[in-house]
């Protein structure tokens, strides 16, 4: 399969544990944030998004937290499963800019 | 099913050759994007188009060209001027211009022979 990140930071967790993936964003003018999951050889898949007027948003087994004071975004995955193993990217959209700016990604490895 | 189709999955280029990567979407999305992904790095924007017959350079447009003659198609040409073309290329689209997630294709891996 495709190697989407040979030298990415890696988070290794046991199946059933909760995972927290962190992302520091750079632009205080960013108003929209997204988490993507990318499996080997595939394009990024949308997980969850959050707007800058929110601090927290929950989905199915996932929660995104936004701390604008320190420009920090996190993705929490509850009861992590082997199928969650992938590279996770955060992306931000700066107000007025049409495209997203992506972080470098974190590899999540789930041990059975 | 609606989605974004990129072809081919793998592509090889000889020195001095131009190659074109295909991206087709049947989502009726207005905006389309091309990104480049290198190992250990996030996605970097090459070109984007918000409407037919219009496109804008992204952060790393040098050595690339695009066209947007039809709403559903946004091909990317990697020219011989791109000296380091080996990468994973991703196409994305979005319905409107507000805060919405981009939808991605499954990419094309370009390698140099």
């Amino acid at each position: 399969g495709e190697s989407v990140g040979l030298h990415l930071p890696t988070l290794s967790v046991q199946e059933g544990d909760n995972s927290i993936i962190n992302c520091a964003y750079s632009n205080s003018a960013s108003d929209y944030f997204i988490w993507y999951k990318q499996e080997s050889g595939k394009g990024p898949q949308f997980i969850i998004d959050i707007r800058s007027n929110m601090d927290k948003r929950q989905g199915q087994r996932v929660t995104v937290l936004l701390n604008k004071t320190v420009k920090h975004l996190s993705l929490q995955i509850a009861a992590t499963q082997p199928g969650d193993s992938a590279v996770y990217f955060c992306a931000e959209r700066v107000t007025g800019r049409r495209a997203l700016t992506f972080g470098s990604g974190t590899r999540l490895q789930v041990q059975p | 099913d609606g989605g974004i189709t990129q072809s081919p999955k793998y592509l090889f280029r000889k020195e001095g050759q131009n190659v074109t990567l295909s991206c087709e979407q049947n989502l009726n999305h207005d905006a389309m994007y091309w990104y480049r992904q290198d190992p250990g790095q996030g996605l970097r924007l090459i070109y984007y188009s918000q409407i037919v017959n219009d496109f804008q350079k992204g952060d790393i447009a040098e050595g690339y060209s695009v066209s947007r003659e039809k709403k559903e198609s946004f091909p990317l040409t990697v020219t011989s001027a791109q000296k380091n073309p080996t990468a994973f290329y991703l196409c994305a689209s979005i319905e409107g211009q507000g805060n919405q997630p981009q939808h991605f294709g499954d990419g094309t891996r370009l390698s140099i022979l």
Side-chain angles (χ1 to χ4, degrees):
Chain A
E2 291 297 331
S3 176
V4 300
L6 295 178
H7 306 292
L8 294 173
T10 299
L11 174 65
S12 186
V13 301
Q14 291 294 123
E15 182 178 358
D17 287 352
N18 296 336
S19 302
I20 300 176
I21 300 172
N22 297 304
C23 177
Y25 64 93
S26 57
N27 200 319
S28 58
S30 294
D31 61 0
Y32 178 60
F33 305 87
I34 308 174
W35 279 101
Y36 284 96
K37 171 186 180 184
Q38 188 175 25
E39 297 174 317
S40 184
K42 296 188 176 182
Q45 298 172 267
F46 169 76
I47 302 173
I48 192 167
D49 59 3
I50 188 167
R51 287 163 175 71
S52 58
N53 60 354
M54 302 172 68
D55 297 320
K56 178 180 179 179
R57 190 164 188 224
Q58 288 184 290
Q60 187 175 14
R61 280 203 308 121
V62 295
T63 301
V64 56
L65 299 177
L66 175 62
N67 185 331
K68 295 181 287 292
T69 301
V70 295
K71 292 188 286 189
H72 183 267
L73 193 68
S74 68
L75 176 70
Q76 300 178 2
I77 304 174
T80 312
Q81 302 167 2
D84 295 326
S85 294
V87 176
Y88 289 80
F89 292 96
C90 66
E92 62 184 294
R93 197 185 93 145
V94 177
T95 304
R97 182 173 157 90
R98 296 299 180 194
L100 299 172
T101 301
F102 284 80
S104 57
T106 297
R107 183 183 305 281
L108 176 65
Q109 292 181 339
V110 182
Q111 309 297 331
Chain B
D1 287 346
I4 300 174
T5 301
Q6 291 188 241
S7 62
K9 180 71 173 175
Y10 299 96
L11 187 59
F12 299 91
R13 194 191 89 167
K14 295 179 180 178
E15 294 286 346
Q17 186 180 49
N18 293 353
V19 291
T20 298
L21 284 61
S22 170
C23 178
E24 303 280 328
Q25 53 100 358
N26 60 3
L27 300 166
N28 200 33
H29 285 177
D30 295 309
M32 297 184 74
Y33 303 81
W34 273 106
Y35 293 90
R36 170 183 171 134
Q37 186 173 34
D38 294 284
Q41 297 187 37
L43 283 64
R44 293 183 290 167
L45 182 67
I46 305 173
Y47 267 98
Y48 65 99
S49 168
Q50 297 181 69
I51 197 170
V52 174
N53 292 323
D54 183 64
F55 48 83
Q56 306 295 329
K57 291 183 178 180
D59 301 319
I60 55 166
E62 185 174 352
Y64 300 97
S65 65
V66 293
S67 63
R68 187 85 188 277
E69 298 177 1
K70 298 186 294 182
K71 187 175 185 178
E72 60 270 25
S73 179
F74 190 40
L76 173 75
T77 297
V78 184
T79 75
S80 57
Q82 172 50 245
K83 298 307 179 187
N84 185 23
T86 297
F88 192 46
Y89 290 87
L90 287 158
C91 180
S93 71
I94 188 172
E95 182 175 6
Q97 298 183 13
N99 285 334
Q100 301 172 59
Q102 293 179 0
H103 299 264
F104 284 86
D106 276 340
T108 292
R109 175 73 181 178
L110 176 63
S111 301
I112 294 298
L113 288 177

